[in-house]
Amino acid sequence: MTTPISILLVDDQSERAAMVAEQLIAAGYKLLARLTSAEGLLFQVEKHRPDIVLIDIESPDRDILESLAVINQHNPTPVAMFSVRGGAEFISSAVEAGVSAYMVDGLSAERVAPAIEIAMAQFRSYQHLRQSLARTQQQLDERKVIERAKGLLMARKNIGEQAAHQTLRTLAMNSNSTMRQVAEQIVAHLQPPVK
Amino acid sequence: MSSLQVEKPNLKLLYLRLTDSAPLIIARELGLFERHGLKVELQRETSWATLRDKLIGGAADAASILAPMPLTLKQTLPQCDEQLLSGLILSCNGNAITLSRTLYDKLDPSKGDAGAALKAYISSRAGGDKPLIFASVYPFASHTLQLRHWLSSAGINPDADVRIVVLPPEQMVEHLRRGDIDGYCVGEPWNTLAVQEGIGVIAATSNSLMPAMPEKVLAVTRSWHEANPATHLALRAALLDACGWLCDRDQRRDAVGILARPEYLDLPEAAIAASLSDELLVHFGEAPRKNPGWHLFAHPQTDHGRPTEKKARELLALCNEIAPVDADTAEVFRSDLYQQTLDFIRHSQL
């Protein structure tokens, strides 16, 4: 048997939270904790490390959870939302728009499982997007430093662009390092002092 | 006044409990929406993410949102096909960095200004000490950028020497009181309020850190704009009128009482009055200092309200320091729509 998905439930209405908790457990999820916003959510997420956080769409704590999902590099957590209010129309448009989490109206056992699956799948695809963005950024940085090193070589040695490129490549091969590493060394050595 | 044939006269606008939500509230109270053929309901939200999702999901027509939000939508909602766009920057500045009294009292004033003293204090701490925690209001917000800038200027590495977390604006004071965080960057009146309650000290204001940085913009979805171009124009005209009204110092004083009401910000007038009067209360019990330009609202005679691609690119470059962002979104700042608003207002006055 696989490990059940662990959930942190955030809701400031205790009656509703109890109802939701009961249904989650009935649907086979592991409920780690039930929190109201007053309990320092940020630190509770770190402590419990849930697979997913379920939160009411009206909760002010949504920004906290979103920042954990978007920014926190170390320990991101997917977030799903539920809404007792809200209405079906809003839910459908939110999903259509690709809101990174999903809302469950009333949270019945049959509806909670697909909602959690969608939230986790969207989260994974987001992680993928973020990694590819980071790679693009890295490539951009690399191109910048190589171009800069070429410029410095061209100025210092009075050679053309192609010759500068060739120099960089030869240096990289001879020293068994990447073009980027060589370029960084050249920039560090040749760049004019900052005034 | 020439009247517009608006497609959708009944609108719902979203805002948060912040002093710079003033243009929306004032436009409603002064009847500026009606003057442009609109009937507007204002709805208060507690979280930026919820406000954004309601706007995208079509549960509201427009909102006053953080300037970097339309630019970084793909970062927060990667699968979203919808775009947010803005044809009006409502305001610049309006934030401040507040340190907890507990932290402030540990700083050695002989080390220089608050930033330098904080740097000295952090350096003096043992390696095993829990890092200081600072809060901002949203991952991609001017607040995060200003906080990081302030820390960096003092020689503090915002990624390594401290922790930056996110909290909704109206929870900042309470978290500071409880000691969960050591400081924050937030919009007004949540800085003034912490000082007036004796639990915080204002260390820097956003207008002194990054002058005239776009703060709140009027945002709508692209599909809403395409379906309601005349309504959007009427809305921008009403709000630019309200922003212009707020540029008058005497009128700003009248705005305080309106903003304070339970149905709007539901906060003490004294807390809201400070930043609108450019008064900076640094320490509890001290006389306020002058802080000109704390809130800079749009005005047809200045360029603060114009959302240009250049301003968008500057914001995106700064956001890129927080996490990699897609720079191709700069065009959602619509200078052309701002120009259309100016032309319309001038023509109406002929």
Side-chain angles (χ1 to χ4, degrees):
Chain A
M1 205 193 127
T2 51
T3 331
I5 291 169
S6 64
I7 293 177
L8 193 68
L9 175 66
V10 186
D11 195 348
D12 56 2
Q13 295 180 33
S14 63
E15 224 173 275
R16 185 174 67 189
M19 181 269 284
V20 170
E22 199 177 296
Q23 287 179 345
L24 286 172
I25 293 163
Y29 293 100
K30 184 179 169 197
L31 189 66
L32 295 172
R34 225 166 72 190
L35 307 173
T36 67
S37 59
E39 293 169 72
L41 175 66
L42 197 56
F43 311 100
Q44 296 286 339
V45 171
E46 283 182 357
K47 188 175 136 198
H48 292 287
R49 305 250 176 133
D51 291 326
I52 193 160
V53 180
L54 271 183
I55 187 166
D56 183 4
I57 187 170
E58 298 296 339
S59 169
D61 296 325
R62 279 205 51 213
D63 286 336
I64 302 173
L65 290 168
E66 183 155 311
S67 78
L68 294 178
V70 173
I71 294 301
N72 194 326
Q73 306 282 337
H74 319 293
N75 190 27
T77 310
V79 180
M81 290 169 287
F82 63 93
S83 174
V84 176
R85 299 170 293 272
E89 196 191 323
F90 178 49
I91 292 165
S92 70
S93 53
V95 174
E96 203 173 70
V99 173
S100 64
Y102 190 86
M103 290 161 289
V104 189
D105 203 352
L107 212 81
S108 68
E110 304 82 65
R111 297 185 65 187
V112 76
I116 287 173
E117 272 161 30
I118 289 170
M120 291 182 77
Q122 287 183 334
F123 176 74
R124 278 193 295 270
S125 85
Y126 170 67
Q127 291 291 91
H128 181 75
L129 178 88
R130 185 163 74 179
Q131 280 157 8
S132 73
L133 260 173
R135 264 198 305 278
T136 311
Q137 185 61 38
Q138 213 179 349
Q139 284 163 357
L140 270 176
D141 290 349
E142 183 173 302
R143 209 169 60 199
K144 264 190 234 160
V145 71
I146 290 173
E147 289 307 322
R148 212 166 146 219
K150 277 200 273 186
L152 288 167
L153 284 173
M154 282 152 72
R156 181 63 66 100
K157 293 179 178 273
N158 202 15
I159 53 176
E161 201 269 347
Q162 284 215 323
H165 189 83
Q166 188 60 42
T167 307
L168 272 181
R169 208 159 59 193
T170 311
L171 281 170
M173 277 194 299
N174 291 347
S175 60
N176 199 21
S177 39
T178 63
M179 292 268 283
R180 184 196 180 127
Q181 286 166 331
V182 171
E184 276 169 354
Q185 283 168 7
I186 288 173
V187 170
H189 276 98
L190 293 187
Q191 70 180 342
V194 182
K195 276 170 204 155
Chain B
M1 164 116 359
S2 71
S3 66
L4 278 163
Q5 296 288 321
V6 298
E7 302 86 356
K8 191 172 189 286
N10 294 318
L11 302 180
K12 185 187 272 183
L13 267 58
L14 306 178
Y15 70 103
L16 255 61
R17 284 172 79 198
L18 293 162
T19 307
D20 59 17
S21 300
L24 277 62
I25 296 165
I26 289 305
R28 188 173 184 275
E29 284 295 319
L30 296 183
L32 299 176
F33 292 128
E34 281 87 350
R35 195 190 289 177
H36 291 283
L38 302 172
K39 191 167 175 292
V40 170
E41 179 196 343
L42 297 183
Q43 184 173 306
R44 199 167 80 187
E45 298 291 333
T46 48
S47 131
W48 285 116
T50 300
L51 176 145
R52 178 202 63 203
D53 291 354
K54 286 186 177 176
L55 188 59
I56 287 167
D61 298 284
S64 165
I65 70 170
L66 301 163
M69 271 182 114
L71 302 168
T72 55
L73 192 63
K74 270 272 176 268
Q75 277 297 294
T76 50
L77 297 177
Q79 318 216 341
C80 181
D81 292 331
E82 188 59 91
Q83 260 189 353
L84 289 175
L85 59 87
S86 177
L88 174 62
I89 296 173
L90 295 165
S91 58
C92 299
N93 307 333
N95 306 326
I97 294 169
T98 295
L99 304 180
S100 77
R101 253 320 263 285
T102 322
L103 171 61
Y104 188 82
D105 289 344
K106 288 180 194 157
L107 303 183
D108 180 353
S110 73
K111 300 289 182 190
D113 66 7
L118 182 64
K119 164 74 181 165
Y121 172 70
I122 290 175
S123 305
S124 74
R125 281 156 54 98
D129 285 349
K130 200 167 72 94
L132 296 177
I133 302 179
F134 290 87
S136 170
V137 300
Y138 185 75
F140 298 103
S142 52
H143 311 73
T144 316
L145 303 171
Q146 287 152 2
L147 183 58
R148 291 174 64 90
H149 174 79
W150 183 72
L151 291 165
S152 302
S153 311
I156 301 163
N157 181 339
D159 297 305
D161 299 338
V162 297
R163 255 191 81 190
I164 297 180
V165 301
V166 165
L167 287 172
E170 53 184 85
Q171 283 187 17
M172 290 287 187
V173 175
E174 192 49 38
H175 275 83
L176 197 70
R177 192 194 322 273
R178 290 213 314 248
D180 290 339
I181 54 173
D182 301 288
Y184 55 66
C185 183
V186 72
E188 276 293 279
W190 304 103
N191 299 287
T192 296
L193 207 59
V195 177
Q196 287 174 341
E197 293 190 15
I199 58 171
V201 177
I202 295 180
T205 56
S206 60
N207 51 312
S208 64
L209 294 172
M210 294 174 159
M213 185 178 194
E215 177 55 37
K216 299 294 180 321
V217 299
L218 174 73
V220 298
T221 63
R222 173 183 282 272
S223 57
W224 188 93
H225 166 71
E226 281 163 4
N228 307 288
T231 314
H232 192 192
L233 175 57
L235 187 58
R236 294 195 306 275
L239 286 169
L240 188 52
D241 284 350
C243 289
W245 187 90
L246 279 161
C247 291
D248 181 289
R249 296 281 137 182
D250 293 330
Q251 287 168 179
R252 272 196 191 195
R253 268 191 283 277
D254 299 332
V256 171
I258 297 169
L259 291 173
R261 288 187 205 156
E263 69 267 33
Y264 295 127
L265 303 192
D266 193 17
L267 287 164
E269 283 190 26
I272 297 167
S275 62
L276 279 178
S277 329
D278 288 340
E279 289 196 334
L280 178 67
L281 187 64
V282 175
H283 299 274
F284 176 70
E286 266 186 16
R289 303 172 193 178
K290 272 285 161 214
N291 179 37
W294 202 348
H295 291 283
L296 215 53
F297 292 102
H299 191 282
Q301 304 299 326
T302 70
D303 215 34
H304 300 308
R306 185 188 292 272
T308 61
E309 209 166 306
K310 182 169 175 283
K311 290 181 192 174
R313 291 199 185 283
E314 284 166 2
L315 280 175
L316 279 163
L318 290 166
C319 286
N320 205 47
E321 292 171 12
I322 305 171
V325 295
D326 178 3
D328 293 338
T329 55
E331 84 280 1
V332 305
F333 269 23
R334 294 285 297 270
S335 179
D336 58 327
L337 294 181
Y338 181 78
Q339 188 58 45
Q340 189 190 50
T341 321
L342 285 187
D343 294 343
F344 172 72
I345 289 176
R346 278 170 196 156
H347 180 77
S348 309
Q349 286 163 347
L350 289 179

